[in-house]
Amino acid sequence: MNGVLKGMLSEWFSSGFLNLERVTWHSPCEVLQRVSESEAVHPIKNWMDMKRRVGPYRRCYFFSHCSTPEEPLVVLHVALTGDISSNIQAIVKECPPSETEEKNKIAAAIFYSISLTQQGLQGVELGTFLIKRVVKELQVEFPHLGTFSSLSPIPGFTKWLLGLLNSQAKEHGRNELFTDSESKEISEVTGGPINETLKVILSSNEWAKSETLVRVLQAPLMRLCAWYLYGEKHRGYALNPVANFHLQNGAVMWRINWMADVSLKGITGSCGLMVNYRYFLEETATNSTNYLNSKNIKASEQVLSLVAQFQKNSKL
């Protein structure tokens, strides 16, 4: 029954029946309200926040079904920037540089949020279709635009890391995640056994307010995050659902960013880390095929270097 329903929904919501619509501040109030309420990645706080996200240097698109125009099914938020963004606060909090866009300052399109408004459509490839259509739309508007990337959250990383610390603490305080020098430095800062104290510290967002903790945790957490994204698998594919989505689309695991989301959600969910998945348009079809058929993850030198450091310093 589940398979039959999914098949029928995939047919009913195939790309031929979908309309691409852009949201602006002049869109109907009902549309703005629905887009605001459906934002699941970086919650929209008020109408001024909403106005910024559909204003200059920002784009917001959604798919609607031909039978229900102006009813968003999946929403994509895009920032138009000078380079590949490494920090989400710079996108969702800062005011745009001016009220009028200067096209020569726009060199990159950053997909920073994609949200389904209808949870019953999970598993239907709406997000994949939407990104492809939006890329074409942006290329028409900005013919010189050549850089496309996401700035993505890493849901589940903190939970995975706490699970590792917990299992190691049970095995007689064994430490196989950190180098000797890292263990010594972290213990000096926290004042206790590394696994136990880190479990407590990383369970809240207070640690991100300490410059010392942020400094000593950067190298090991970057390394562990790279392994979580690249090395942890579910049936041979990336365990992290956001990674799996972009890799299926043919993106490259491009760059892991430290302290990229310092919101409460960002710190507690992924220790403040975010990742760029970069879309090289001429390579996406090949990358997607290699991932889906051979489970090969295309990653940058930065990510592979961090993975190699994890494999060298950890004994999992």
Side-chain angles (χ1 to χ4, degrees):
M1 176 71 77
N2 190 52
V4 169
L5 283 173
K6 184 178 175 182
M8 291 173 72
L9 286 170
S10 296
E11 288 185 17
W12 292 340
F13 291 91
S14 61
S15 57
F17 295 116
L18 300 175
N19 299 318
L20 182 69
E21 301 188 43
R22 180 182 165 190
V23 184
T24 71
W25 190 239
H26 303 292
S27 296
C29 185
E30 294 83 359
V31 171
L32 291 166
Q33 184 76 27
R34 289 192 194 103
V35 169
S36 176
E37 290 171 350
S38 69
E39 176 51 38
V41 186
H42 306 291
I44 295 170
K45 295 175 182 175
N46 50 44
W47 282 108
M48 284 306 297
D49 192 7
M50 185 69 207
K51 187 175 183 179
R52 280 196 295 271
R53 297 202 198 186
V54 297
Y57 297 98
R58 300 290 181 267
R59 294 292 184 272
C60 179
Y61 299 93
F62 67 85
F63 268 150
S64 64
H65 195 268
C66 59
S67 64
T68 53
E70 295 189 349
E71 180 65 45
L73 300 172
V74 58
V75 182
L76 178 66
H77 289 270
V78 185
L80 303 173
T81 62
D83 53 17
I84 297 178
S85 304
S86 60
N87 182 288
I88 192 61
Q89 269 70 44
I91 290 176
V92 299
K93 284 191 174 180
E94 287 184 9
C95 291
S98 68
E99 283 299 310
T100 54
E101 292 175 352
E102 295 181 49
K103 290 196 173 186
N104 61 336
K105 290 185 177 180
I106 296 170
I110 310 299
F111 312 125
Y112 67 90
S113 173
I114 186 164
S115 300
L116 265 179
T117 66
Q118 310 292 332
Q119 293 308 306
L121 292 176
Q122 283 188 353
V124 181
E125 294 184 357
L126 295 179
T128 301
F129 293 145
L130 182 55
I131 286 177
K132 290 177 179 177
R133 284 284 299 277
V134 167
V135 165
K136 290 180 180 177
E137 194 79 5
L138 291 171
Q139 284 180 314
V140 170
E141 187 177 2
F142 305 100
H144 67 285
L145 192 60
T147 302
F148 298 91
S149 173
S150 77
L151 179 59
S152 300
I154 311 170
F157 172 60
T158 303
K159 183 179 179 181
W160 172 82
L161 180 54
L162 290 173
L164 275 186
L165 292 169
N166 197 41
S167 64
Q168 297 224 331
K170 286 179 179 175
E171 295 180 34
H172 312 294
R174 194 162 57 106
N175 169 40
E176 296 186 346
L177 301 179
F178 308 95
T179 65
D180 292 340
S181 61
E182 286 169 351
S183 298
K184 182 182 176 185
E185 195 171 18
I186 294 169
S187 294
E188 286 174 356
V189 175
T190 59
I194 184 168
N195 288 339
E196 291 297 337
T197 53
L198 276 183
K199 267 173 31 182
V200 174
I201 287 167
L202 295 177
S203 295
S204 80
N205 67 323
E206 293 299 312
W207 67 271
K209 298 173 185 176
S210 165
E211 289 184 15
T212 308
L213 271 174
V214 168
R215 177 179 57 78
V216 299
L217 290 175
Q218 178 173 357
L221 290 193
M222 287 279 285
R223 194 170 69 227
L224 284 157
C225 185
W227 178 257
Y228 169 68
L229 291 171
Y230 185 88
E232 289 293 317
K233 300 292 201 302
H234 173 65
R235 296 178 180 173
Y237 299 106
L239 173 67
N240 182 266
V242 179
N244 187 51
F245 170 76
H246 288 289
L247 293 169
Q248 283 186 4
N249 291 346
V252 175
M253 196 177 285
W254 180 251
R255 185 176 66 199
I256 297 170
N257 304 294
W258 179 243
M259 287 293 109
D261 184 358
V262 295
S263 68
L264 175 62
K265 186 177 180 181
I267 296 295
T268 54
S270 56
C271 298
L273 288 148
M274 297 189 80
V275 57
N276 300 114
Y277 298 99
R278 187 166 175 183
Y279 286 79
F280 294 95
L281 301 184
E282 67 280 2
E283 298 175 11
T284 53
T286 303
N287 293 344
S288 177
T289 301
N290 288 340
Y291 179 68
L292 291 170
N293 293 344
S294 307
K295 299 170 182 174
N296 292 333
I297 294 177
K298 185 79 176 287
S300 69
E301 287 186 13
Q302 185 236 25
V303 174
L304 294 176
S305 173
L306 288 167
V307 169
Q309 290 172 39
F310 171 88
Q311 292 171 321
K312 178 182 176 184
N313 293 312
S314 300
K315 305 178 184 66
L316 295 182

